[in-house]
Amino acid sequence: MSQQRHGSTPGEAGDVPAFPDLPEATIARLPEYLRALHHLAEAGAETVSSEGLAAAAGVNSAKLRKDLSHLGSYGTRGVGYDVALLVDQIEYILGLDKNRAVCLVGVGNLGHALAGYAGFASRGFRVVALFDADRKKVGEVINGMAVRHIGDLELVAAEESIAIGVIATPPTAAQAVADLLVAAGVTSILNFAPCVLSVPPNVDVRKVDLAVELQILSFHEHRKASLTALPGGAGDAAGDQEAVGS
């Protein structure tokens, strides 16, 4: 069924196309485009070329144009994209116009840092509750919000209509927390614990594992070192230059 922003009519500027079935890779890049667009808007830009936006987002312009075509945004030849309109379209597609309620479970070192992050509110998310299983932490105030016991999760989730749960617990506790979130009606989970969660098909999970990201960077460092060690690599080239100059 076609969806349009409330109050708009076909043909008006600001129309939103029927909700698209986007490729996962495109979905992953939309927040990068949105971040770049916000920076452009803050700098006073009203329009931006595909090349300019692609450079700001760190992608190539052909990929950007293809991604935005899924949203029905093709820009204007010689002018580019309307920054405010494109922000509006991407925020709609990402559901950021809903001001979604988020809860955080686990207020250790990482949980403290996440609870104090000011960027959530500016991007359409309300952190409405903090939970922990350690009763010594219950009542602690972090960023103006008191930590509640995990036993209150189901009640608070219903009261606050929590849509997204963030898990920042040790891996040994993460599955039990995920089970509690699912039982409370939460259907999206951001998991910072280094483990794989088992959830029903209707629950979406995104995993953030800093150790995995470091391991991937380690691979790239290893690859670069291996390439420079090959005959004709950067290491040999530097040695040849030194020999010539000696």
Side-chain angles (χ1 to χ4, degrees), residues 1-3 16-24 26-27 30 66-73 89-90 92-94:
M1 183 173 67
S2 177
Q3 297 183 12
V16 175
F19 200 89
D21 184 15
L22 299 178
E24 285 292 328
T26 296
I27 296 169
L30 289 181
K66 183 176 181 180
D67 286 342
L68 296 185
S69 70
H70 290 299
L71 278 60
S73 291
Q89 288 178 315
I90 293 176
Y92 170 77
I93 292 298
L94 293 177

Side-chain angles (χ1 to χ4, degrees), residues 25-26 28-38 40 53-54 57-60 63-65 67-68 86-87 90:
T26 296
R29 287 188 289 267
L30 289 181
E32 295 297 333
Y33 301 153
L34 186 59
R35 175 191 55 78
L37 287 164
H38 277 299
L40 288 165
L53 181 54
V59 302
N60 68 63
K63 185 176 293 183
L64 177 137
R65 286 191 294 270
D67 286 342
L68 296 185
L86 196 50
V87 166
I90 293 176

Side-chain angles (χ1 to χ4, degrees), residues 178-238:
D179 293 342
L180 289 173
L181 288 168
V182 171
V186 175
T187 53
S188 290
I189 296 173
L190 180 61
N191 179 31
F192 281 90
C195 63
V196 176
L197 300 177
S198 176
V199 297
N202 68 316
V203 176
D204 292 298
V205 176
R206 296 287 295 181
K207 183 179 178 183
V208 181
D209 191 328
L210 301 181
V212 167
E213 298 303 322
L214 287 171
Q215 289 167 16
I216 293 170
L217 288 174
S218 178
F219 161 79
H220 289 296
E221 286 299 309
H222 188 193
R223 179 177 57 83
K224 286 182 284 188
S226 299
L227 289 174
T228 57
L230 291 172
D236 277 5

Side-chain angles (χ1 to χ4, degrees), residues 20-203:
D21 184 15
L22 299 178
E24 285 292 328
T26 296
I27 296 169
R29 287 188 289 267
L30 289 181
E32 295 297 333
Y33 301 153
L34 186 59
R35 175 191 55 78
L37 287 164
H38 277 299
H39 287 164
L40 288 165
E42 289 165 4
E46 294 184 355
T47 60
V48 62
S49 67
S50 59
E51 292 78 8
L53 181 54
V59 302
N60 68 63
S61 57
K63 185 176 293 183
L64 177 137
R65 286 191 294 270
K66 183 176 181 180
D67 286 342
L68 296 185
S69 70
H70 290 299
L71 278 60
S73 291
Y74 298 93
T76 302
R77 185 177 297 276
V79 176
Y81 295 95
D82 182 302
V83 170
L85 175 58
L86 196 50
V87 166
D88 195 49
Q89 288 178 315
I90 293 176
E91 287 187 343
Y92 170 77
I93 292 298
L94 293 177
L96 302 182
D97 55 343
K98 305 298 183 184
N99 198 20
R100 299 186 188 279
V102 177
C103 73
L104 170 67
V105 184
V107 291
N109 292 335
L110 177 59
H112 265 82
L114 293 171
Y117 177 54
F120 291 131
S122 64
R123 292 296 182 264
F125 301 96
R126 295 179 296 115
V127 178
V128 297
L130 308 175
F131 298 100
D132 203 283
D134 187 350
R135 292 197 177 274
K136 294 179 181 177
K137 295 178 180 178
V138 173
E140 179 183 352
V141 177
I142 304 174
N143 199 29
M145 189 174 303
V147 177
R148 304 183 65 154
H149 189 264
I150 189 66
D152 296 335
L153 174 58
E154 187 169 1
L155 175 63
V156 177
E159 290 177 344
E160 298 287 352
S161 299
I162 294 173
I164 301 172
V166 179
I167 298 177
T169 67
T172 52
Q175 183 61 58
V177 170
D179 293 342
L180 289 173
L181 288 168
V182 171
V186 175
T187 53
S188 290
I189 296 173
L190 180 61
N191 179 31
F192 281 90
C195 63
V196 176
L197 300 177
S198 176
V199 297
N202 68 316
V203 176

